Amino acid sequence: MRKEIKITAVVVLVALVFSLLLTANVLAQEEDRYGGTLNAAFQMSVAHLDSDNSTDSLITAMMNHVYEGLFEFDENLNLTPHLAESYQVGEDGLVYEVKLRENVKLHNGQTMDADDVIASFRRWLELNNGGQLVAPYFDQVEKIDQFNIRFKFAEAYAPFLNILASPVSNQKFVVRAEEVVDEFGTDVIDRHVGTGPYKYEEWVPDQKLVLTRFEDYTPSSREASFFAGKRTAYLDEIVFNFIPDAQVRVSGVQTGQFHFAEEVPRDQYPLFEANQNIDNVIIYPDRMSMLIYNNAEAPFDNKYARQAIAYALDFEELGYAMIGDPQFWRLESALHEEGNPWHVPDAGEGIYGVYDPEKAKELLDQAGYDGDPIVILSGQDNQMERQGAIAIQDQLEEIGIDVELQLFDRPTVVERRSKKEGWHIHLSPFIKIVPDPQIHQGWTGTNKWISNWDSEESREMDQIFAEMLREVDQEKRYEIMERMQSKLWDSVPYFNILDYSRLHIKRAELKDFKGSWQPFFWNTYLE
């Protein structure tokens, strides 16, 4: 009996020693990840670093390391409390009560509390485009106590939390130190104090932004998933270098000067693939190639003419013409990608991707098309727009449509498409990632964005969005979203031809980098 006890004790002791050695090894490996300076090459500079005062998405991408939101999205665009600990929504959708995480440190050494959040929120409501979407429906924000806040609405505004966490440029709400908000008011902030894993260190306009690790950072306890959950600052320093020349960005990664370069030429993908020191990063979901009609101008003031163009185009052939390598594009009819909570898998069924030139001719006849030239207005500086416009012209001419192609630089295109006459079709890239279907209201409905859509159908779409705005139940909002997409494909004021991706590259020694719609470098390290 004693022998059995001794053997058991030895087994337990060996298991304990093994467990301790394993734990020590894991801790040592974790410790080895800390240190180093990451050099990233971005394609353009920014005017300043105040995301409330700009629509430049690069500001948000860089300053996401410095500032954090009450809520963030995970990799599947699920809303996740971040600086918020929890929240409750009243049954009428008019009251949101948010409990903050306690003991979260700001970069000035103070503890973040309700005063910082309220000051930041009031500024966001006044300046930020996202805040301005919310403001017409909002009543007041109240401090319950140091770590609890109440947001009150005059009218229900269902997408409130999604807008707060929106990754779309000039929408996201971030928490700034109250003292900084008081100091700058609505002016552009140039002294940055947030709660993020990295601190603002140096800004050299047109050259670089330098961030350093915040040693007192307080991470979320939730599992890391893109922008949500635990963020770890392994790097001592992050330097964002602004390098307009794509080939200079490429050469910098090839030589080791840069660890990461955004938006490099897709046609060099095979060269990067053959280099063992470089990893390709294909971003998906990323962009949509949107075909927009001028719905105020004949023949596209008639929905049958708009449907006809969808049937007249071979989308797969367009993919090769616009983008090239099929690794960088995919056919997709829905406004939200697969995996997004708002994805409608059967959107456009029966019309999207159905190449039927004869049906297109029948629909044009039904619309009363008189054979006048169709003007395609597009950009000449962007490959998707230029090559897409040329390919669409070729395909439409094959079924007997007379097409006039107008290619201009971006400022000229923007100026010409703002008019209600002189063009019929325009190609434009759209960001694929949107956190809430309500955002589509900005360009879908009566006289929204550039489509000049004003008809009985557009007013029916207005009503759909009005219902969605008031409905706070997720399942019911999704059902409204399904109706919206069905109506969109029946009336086709615009439609997505395909989704396509940008190409970034990184050095192989940059580990655990997650490609996303905005680059981020917490939870990454240099081997």
Side-chain angles (χ1 to χ4, degrees):
M1 184 68 174
R2 289 179 179 176
K3 185 176 181 180
E4 291 179 358
I5 293 173
K6 287 181 179 180
I7 292 173
T8 301
V10 169
V11 170
V12 171
L13 181 60
V14 169
L16 179 60
V17 171
F18 179 79
S19 176
L20 290 172
L21 288 173
L22 184 62
T23 301
N25 185 52
V26 170
L27 290 174
Q29 289 179 347
E30 176 78 4
E31 190 65 29
D32 287 344
R33 295 183 175 188
Y34 284 88
T37 295
L38 182 141
N39 275 284
F42 281 45
Q43 67 174 331
M44 63 184 70
S45 182
V46 292
H48 56 76
L49 300 170
D50 184 349
S51 60
D52 284 341
N53 268 305
S54 176
T55 59
D56 195 324
S57 62
L58 179 56
I59 294 176
T60 302
M62 295 189 297
M63 299 306 281
N64 276 337
H65 300 77
V66 175
Y67 295 115
E68 299 176 294
L70 287 179
F71 301 90
E72 301 282 359
F73 285 108
D74 68 12
E75 61 184 307
N76 294 315
L77 277 188
N78 293 311
L79 185 80
T80 306
H82 193 71
L83 291 178
E85 180 67 40
S86 60
Y87 68 97
Q88 290 183 331
V89 183
E91 290 185 6
D92 56 6
L94 297 177
V95 177
Y96 295 73
E97 292 193 355
V98 176
K99 178 177 176 56
L100 304 178
R101 285 168 45 206
E102 300 183 19
N103 301 316
V104 172
K105 292 294 184 182
L106 287 155
H107 298 158
N108 59 9
Q110 298 177 7
T111 298
M112 179 205 74
D113 62 15
D115 292 329
D116 300 297
V117 176
I118 290 172
S120 300
F121 180 80
R122 285 173 174 159
R123 184 179 197 266
W124 176 83
L125 206 65
E126 181 178 0
L127 291 181
N128 192 290
N129 281 352
Q132 290 167 2
L133 288 174
V134 172
Y137 307 91
F138 192 71
D139 180 15
Q140 60 182 316
V141 56
E142 300 174 344
K143 177 181 177 180
I144 300 173
D145 57 37
Q146 186 178 6
F147 296 108
N148 287 276
I149 299 170
R150 182 181 295 115
F151 299 94
K152 299 177 72 174
F153 281 79
E155 299 178 47
Y157 188 81
F160 175 53
L161 300 182
N162 285 343
I163 297 295
L164 287 180
S166 173
V168 178
S169 60
N170 201 221
Q171 289 190 356
K172 186 174 182 178
F173 168 71
V174 296
V175 176
R176 311 173 192 273
E178 180 187 22
E179 64 176 60
V180 173
V181 175
D182 289 344
E183 177 183 349
F184 289 90
T186 59
D187 295 337
V188 172
I189 290 174
D190 63 13
R191 185 169 74 85
H192 298 277
V193 180
T195 62
Y198 290 92
K199 298 188 300 181
Y200 169 87
E201 187 68 28
E202 182 184 12
W203 161 249
V204 183
D206 298 323
Q207 293 185 36
K208 65 181 179 179
L209 168 66
V210 181
L211 308 178
T212 57
R213 183 195 297 119
F214 178 37
E215 300 293 350
D216 294 326
Y217 176 65
T218 316
S220 167
S221 61
R222 291 179 167 86
E223 182 180 356
S225 178
F226 274 35
F227 294 91
K230 185 178 181 180
R231 300 180 179 184
T232 302
Y234 289 117
L235 303 160
D236 291 336
E237 188 176 65
I238 301 173
V239 181
F240 296 101
N241 302 275
F242 307 123
I243 312 294
D245 190 306
Q247 202 53 51
V248 174
R249 297 197 298 276
V250 169
S251 299
V253 174
Q254 290 172 329
T255 62
Q257 177 186 4
F258 303 130
H259 300 98
F260 172 87
E262 71 158 357
E263 295 211 36
V264 298
R266 287 183 287 256
D267 58 7
Q268 295 186 38
Y269 177 87
L271 297 177
F272 306 141
E273 193 74 3
N275 188 332
Q276 63 181 0
N277 295 317
I278 294 179
D279 296 328
N280 285 305
V281 182
I282 300 175
I283 302 303
Y284 178 76
D286 195 20
R287 297 287 190 268
M288 297 185 283
S289 60
M290 200 67 73
L291 186 149
I292 300 108
Y293 296 106
N294 182 354
N295 294 272
E297 186 99 321
F300 299 124
D301 54 353
N302 186 296
K303 78 171 185 179
Y304 297 115
R306 303 193 295 265
Q307 291 175 359
I309 301 303
Y311 285 110
L313 298 178
D314 184 334
F315 291 178
E316 186 169 345
E317 185 177 296
L318 287 177
Y320 285 101
M322 298 162 105
I323 310 299
D325 189 337
Q327 291 186 91
F328 297 100
W329 60 271
R330 61 214 57 81
L331 298 183
E332 175 59 79
S333 62
L335 293 176
H336 302 86
E337 70 285 355
E338 187 175 357
N340 187 306
W342 304 105
H343 177 66
V344 179
D346 59 352
E349 188 173 10
I351 181 172
Y352 178 82
V354 180
Y355 178 50
D356 191 340
E358 293 305 314
K359 186 173 182 64
K361 293 176 184 178
E362 293 173 6
L363 286 166
L364 285 172
D365 289 340
Q366 188 174 351
Y369 173 54
D370 59 9
D372 285 347
I374 299 298
V375 176
I376 299 178
L377 172 67
S378 203
Q380 63 183 5
D381 303 321
N382 178 283
Q383 176 185 324
M384 183 280 291
E385 296 179 44
R386 181 184 64 256
Q387 296 301 114
I390 294 170
I392 289 171
Q393 177 187 27
D394 292 342
Q395 292 190 16
L396 294 184
E397 287 180 343
E398 286 179 5
I399 65 168
I401 297 177
D402 186 10
V403 178
E404 179 185 337
L405 185 60
Q406 297 184 359
L407 297 177
F408 301 101
D409 57 30
R410 172 58 54 178
T412 303
V413 169
V414 171
E415 188 273 329
R416 292 196 174 212
R417 76 184 186 186
S418 66
K419 300 175 181 177
K420 287 192 174 185
E421 57 186 22
W423 66 276
H424 298 98
I425 291 174
H426 169 64
L427 285 178
S428 181
F430 275 34
I431 293 175
K432 186 72 176 183
I433 287 290
V434 292
D436 192 280
Q438 204 73 42
I439 289 174
H440 294 294
Q441 187 177 14
W443 59 78
T444 311
T446 302
N447 291 320
K448 297 297 178 66
W449 199 46
I450 62 169
S451 64
N452 303 316
W453 191 25
D454 187 354
S455 66
E456 181 181 346
E457 293 155 340
S458 71
R459 286 180 280 281
E460 289 174 3
M461 187 67 82
D462 295 340
Q463 182 58 38
I464 288 174
F465 277 110
E467 292 178 37
M468 196 185 304
L469 188 71
R470 295 188 295 269
E471 182 55 69
V472 296
D473 182 86
Q474 174 84 5
E475 292 185 4
K476 292 179 180 178
R477 288 192 85 222
Y478 181 81
E479 291 173 0
I480 300 172
M481 177 63 182
E482 289 180 305
R483 285 171 46 210
M484 176 264 188
Q485 293 242 35
S486 176
K487 186 68 180 175
L488 189 67
W489 274 106
D490 176 64
S491 53
V492 281
Y494 63 80
F495 63 85
N496 182 27
I497 297 174
L498 49 82
D499 293 353
Y500 66 100
S501 297
R502 291 169 294 166
L503 175 64
H504 304 330
I505 55 174
K506 73 175 190 68
R507 296 286 299 182
E509 59 264 29
L510 177 59
K511 300 298 184 182
D512 284 359
F513 176 80
K514 307 293 185 184
S516 81
W517 54 90
Q518 289 172 336
F520 62 89
F521 299 102
W522 56 81
N523 300 340
T524 65
Y525 64 96
L526 294 171
E527 189 174 60

